[in-house]
Amino acid sequence: SIFKQWYQRRVAITAGGAEPLTLICRTEVDAVTTSANGEEKFMNIKALNEWDLKGGASEWRQKLDTQRGDILTTEMKNNKCKLAKWTVSSILAGSDLLKFGYVTRSMPRSSGESIGHSILGTQEFIPKQFAGQISLDMNNAWGILRVIVDRCMQLKDGKYVLYKEPGKGILRIYKVPLNTFEEDNDDSDDEDEEEEEK
């Protein structure tokens, strides 16, 4: 089984002359490692999975040792949101390292449930330095969050959905009825009983 360490972090967000906003978030650390000088370092570990449209031989097996930078650049281009999420999570948790594992299927053409995977290699980064490599500006991220929170605080009490337009930099807020997304277990039990009686 996998064990994670959870931490509660308090972050103060200030913007211009606005009243400071205190955010409490739950963060996670995946592992602790010891450096050469005996110092313990917190680490987040994530898997980059090879996606092969052709179902053929793994390109990563052939290129990872000689072209690791190219593979990571392609992952940055195709999965920027995922990498940014992992990086922000690591920074919030106070992790010293962010480690990526390059994972591929052991048998690429197999589609059964007993597919094995292989870790071809790993790569470690310091989260704040990696943020610079993927052009992630934490001040900008906090600013965006502050704008969203300020907008939500202006809304009347109720239930809302925050929706990002696919492929666009547009966020929309929709008001929905209070019982939206709630399952009514009593109704489903009644329907089951009616079906059994027939």
Side-chain angles (χ1 to χ4, degrees):
S1 63
I2 298 173
F3 297 94
K4 291 182 183 274
Q5 181 67 47
W6 302 95
Y7 293 98
Q8 305 293 328
R9 298 281 186 203
R10 181 189 307 244
V11 181
I13 305 172
T14 56
E19 183 179 329
L21 177 69
T22 301
L23 171 73
I24 297 177
C25 58
R26 185 172 102 169
T27 62
E28 65 182 24
V29 173
D30 296 316
V32 177
T33 187
T34 306
S35 65
N37 62 4
E39 181 185 358
E40 286 189 346
K41 294 186 175 262
F42 292 122
M43 179 188 302
N44 283 76
I45 303 168
K46 303 298 179 187
L48 295 169
N49 297 302
E50 182 179 30
W51 177 256
D52 183 18
L53 293 173
K54 301 171 192 163
S58 166
E59 283 190 23
W60 284 10
R61 286 182 196 277
Q62 300 162 5
K63 297 181 179 179
L64 190 62
D65 289 336
T66 58
Q67 298 176 2
R68 189 173 302 228
D70 291 342
I71 291 172
L72 184 60
T73 301
T74 301
E75 287 299 308
M76 288 178 183
K77 185 179 91 173
N78 295 335
N79 296 301
K80 187 171 183 174
C81 182
K82 177 170 65 174
L83 292 172
K85 180 175 80 170
W86 291 346
T87 306
V88 169
S89 177
S90 296
I91 291 170
L92 285 177
S95 292
D96 301 298
L97 298 169
L98 175 58
K99 187 171 202 168
F100 295 132
Y102 294 90
V103 179
T104 188
R105 287 185 176 179
S106 298
M107 301 176 114
R109 294 178 191 265
S110 174
S111 62
E113 296 226 3
S114 61
I115 298 173
H117 289 80
S118 299
I119 300 173
L120 301 177
T122 62
Q123 196 169 7
E124 288 182 3
F125 296 93
I126 296 171
K128 288 183 179 177
Q129 290 177 357
F130 188 69
Q133 288 184 23
I134 61 173
S135 302
L136 173 65
D137 180 3
M138 287 301 292
N139 289 329
N140 188 42
W142 289 122
I144 291 168
L145 178 64
R146 180 66 197 235
V147 168
I148 293 170
V149 169
D150 286 346
R151 176 67 182 109
C152 289
M153 296 299 284
Q154 296 170 0
L155 300 171
K156 295 179 181 176
D157 286 347
K159 186 180 268 191
Y160 296 87
V161 172
L162 182 64
Y163 175 76
K164 182 188 177 300
E165 293 282 341
K168 298 179 184 176
I170 298 172
L171 286 174
R172 298 189 189 278
I173 300 173
Y174 294 100
K175 186 171 184 174
V176 295
L178 288 176
N179 63 351
T180 304
F181 309 119
E182 292 179 9
E183 293 182 20
D184 191 343
N185 291 335
D186 295 335
D187 290 345
S188 62
D189 291 343
D190 292 342
E191 289 174 9
D192 292 341
E193 288 174 11
E194 288 177 16
E195 288 178 15
E196 288 174 10
E197 289 175 4
K198 294 178 182 178

